[in-house]
Amino acid sequence: MSNPSLIIETSKLRHNVKTVVKMCKASGIEICAVTKACCAHHKIAEVFAESGAGMLADSRVQNLKQLSSYSVPKMMLRLPMISEADDVVRYCDVSLNSELNTVKALSEAVVKLNKQHGVVIMIELGDLREGIPPEEALTFAEEAIKLPGVNLTGVGVNFNCYGGVIPDEENLNRLADVASNIEEKLGIKLQIISGGNSGSLYLLKENKMPAKINNLRLGESILLGMDTSFQKQIEDLYTDVFTLKAEVIEMKEKPSVPSGNIGLNAFGQKTSYVDNGVIRRVILACGRQDLPCDQLIPNEDGVKYLGSSSDHMILDITQSDKDYAVGDIVTFNLSYGALVGAFTSRYIDKIFI
Ligand SMILES: *Cc1c(COP(=O)(O)O)cnc(C)c1O
């Protein structure tokens, strides 16, 4: 094992996925398990697929290609680029869409490759990332079903991302209405009414999920056990599936404030310091090129993050009862940003236990 390393407890992950799948199933909801934070690592995808996820979903077609060996259907989450239409059709069964020209490109690819592809129309309901206005959904659907090869599979919405808008009964009922209107006017049945991401899960607990919603796309909730609408732990889920380990390369007592003329730090930022006198400082061999260190949560009491440069992280351990020495390991819990960084970095060893 080399440091830094990311320890992944698969039994905890399995528990999280199974618990959420069960909770969703009780309300008639199927889950798309989102693999993007873990770069579609095959061991994560395997746990998802074996624990009852109805689909695997990712934002990147390279990641979905990696998942080809799993028989569960795949969903492309990010709006496809026209330039990748062929691969989207090759490697995904369904994609989320808001541009008719893209759906046309998918249709051409489907015909050319002699495949099937489902289109979910994204509806903009306040968060202001992807989606068409609800009043344009019917026209979009009418155009989409005319295109050869693509199936109109459903409608969906995304929240909690750009605008930080929280999904609720009201905005999700608007999605349900859009779906009902398309079904009625076009005489079809939509298979997927996708009511958002991890931020929508809380509505199940509060019994406020509109009955028409039958799909959620979940990443952070099953990986980190977090309710992203209210930044709190989800009952019965583990928040410590992942642990980062980093090694101490220096432990010394030094002042808390730098001396000399103060310019910019390694990242061109102006910094400020609080004078706490001489403190006990630890340097870890892990830096910003590994992951966003400020998004790590120390597991040990009395450990405070001070700062980081590309390859170093500095901690204040003055308040800790423990005597850290060179060669010791410090462990952290991960927020979503840290998790994304850890999986993306080739410098961090991934260890599944
Ligand atoms: C990333 C993503 C998700 C998953 O979001 P989580 O907050 O991790 O549950 C769902 N839908 C879309 C469109 C996404 O891009």
Side-chain angles (χ1 to χ4, degrees):
M1 189 209 301
S2 68
N3 293 321
S5 57
L6 183 70
I7 312 299
I8 302 130
E9 293 181 59
T10 42
S11 59
K12 289 183 177 174
L13 182 61
R14 191 168 289 117
H15 166 90
N16 280 3
V17 183
K18 284 190 168 166
T19 306
V20 171
V21 164
K22 195 169 152 199
M23 184 170 111
C24 287
K25 218 168 225 160
S27 302
I29 290 176
E30 183 176 83
I31 79 156
C32 297
V34 176
T35 52
K36 67 189 183 197
C38 304
C39 304
H41 195 291
H42 70 100
K43 288 200 175 148
I44 300 281
E46 188 176 298
V47 173
F48 285 178
E50 286 172 354
S51 307
M55 278 197 192
L56 295 176
D58 204 287
S59 286
R60 291 167 197 267
V61 78
Q62 299 106 295
N63 287 354
L64 289 155
K65 183 178 174 183
Q66 253 170 256
L67 302 177
S68 295
S69 62
Y70 297 99
S71 59
V72 278
K74 320 294 180 305
M75 174 187 274
M76 172 81 173
L77 292 173
R78 185 167 67 188
L79 306 176
M81 295 184 256
I82 287 179
S83 61
E84 65 182 356
D86 284 5
D87 275 350
V88 171
V89 167
R90 261 187 208 109
Y91 302 116
C92 320
D93 303 277
V94 180
S95 58
L96 307 182
N97 285 276
S98 70
E99 290 286 351
L100 218 40
N101 280 340
T102 308
V103 181
K104 281 180 187 150
L106 292 172
S107 162
E108 282 162 22
V110 168
V111 171
K112 185 171 81 186
L113 300 168
N114 195 20
K115 301 264 288 186
Q116 292 276 320
H117 191 76
V119 164
V120 170
I121 308 173
M122 291 302 275
I123 313 296
E124 161 50 45
L125 291 172
D127 196 63
L128 294 179
R129 201 177 71 180
E130 70 274 46
I132 62 171
E135 55 278 11
E136 290 172 20
L138 184 61
T139 315
F140 193 108
E142 280 169 342
E143 292 300 317
I145 55 171
K146 284 185 203 152
L147 296 169
V150 290
N151 306 313
L152 181 59
T153 307
V155 293
V157 64
N158 198 57
F159 293 110
N160 312 87
C161 279
Y162 175 71
V165 171
I166 294 175
D168 56 29
E169 257 179 309
E170 193 188 322
N171 49 32
L172 284 180
N173 268 320
R174 289 177 71 198
L175 180 72
D177 290 345
V178 167
S180 301
N181 189 42
I182 291 173
E183 291 187 325
E184 223 170 86
K185 299 274 166 53
L186 302 185
I188 55 172
K189 176 101 186 85
L190 296 176
Q191 285 160 28
I192 296 178
I193 319 291
S194 189
N197 55 39
S198 294
S200 297
L201 263 186
Y202 85 96
L203 289 163
L204 289 177
K205 278 252 149 74
E206 298 188 1
N207 252 325
K208 287 182 181 158
M209 185 67 84
K212 185 110 185 130
I213 305 298
N214 65 8
N215 176 282
L216 292 176
R217 311 173 309 270
L218 306 175
E220 187 164 350
S221 50
I222 52 179
L223 294 167
L224 296 176
M226 290 299 286
D227 168 345
T228 54
S229 275
F230 300 100
Q231 278 75 47
K232 57 178 199 210
Q233 181 176 354
I234 300 174
E235 224 178 291
D236 306 331
L237 297 192
Y238 290 107
T239 55
D240 59 351
V241 171
F242 304 92
T243 302
L244 185 91
K245 290 184 166 184
E247 185 171 330
V248 176
I249 53 172
E250 185 185 287
M251 155 57 212
K252 300 215 183 292
E253 297 200 346
K254 294 184 192 181
S256 40
V257 179
S259 52
N261 293 319
I262 309 285
L264 303 179
N265 72 6
F267 284 82
Q269 294 153 336
K270 187 101 190 140
T271 46
S272 62
Y273 303 89
V274 182
D275 192 354
N276 292 318
V278 170
I279 55 174
R280 290 199 298 151
R281 302 165 73 107
V282 147
I283 301 180
L284 299 178
C286 178
R288 293 200 204 184
Q289 201 161 1
D290 300 289
L291 81 179
C293 300
D294 55 349
Q295 293 193 44
L296 288 168
I297 307 140
N299 272 338
E300 294 155 53
D301 287 339
V303 174
K304 196 174 138 218
Y305 171 81
L306 286 180
S308 50
S309 56
S310 296
D311 323 295
H312 299 77
M313 178 176 9
I314 306 169
L315 304 175
D316 175 357
I317 54 142
T318 310
Q319 301 300 322
S320 170
D321 298 335
K322 210 170 133 182
D323 267 325
Y324 289 89
V326 173
D328 282 355
I329 299 295
V330 182
T331 68
F332 299 85
N333 208 334
L334 289 87
S335 68
Y336 191 76
L339 184 69
V340 169
F343 268 98
T344 308
S345 171
R346 67 186 174 87
Y347 302 109
I348 297 180
D349 213 4
K350 282 82 180 168
I351 297 159
F352 288 80
I353 58 170

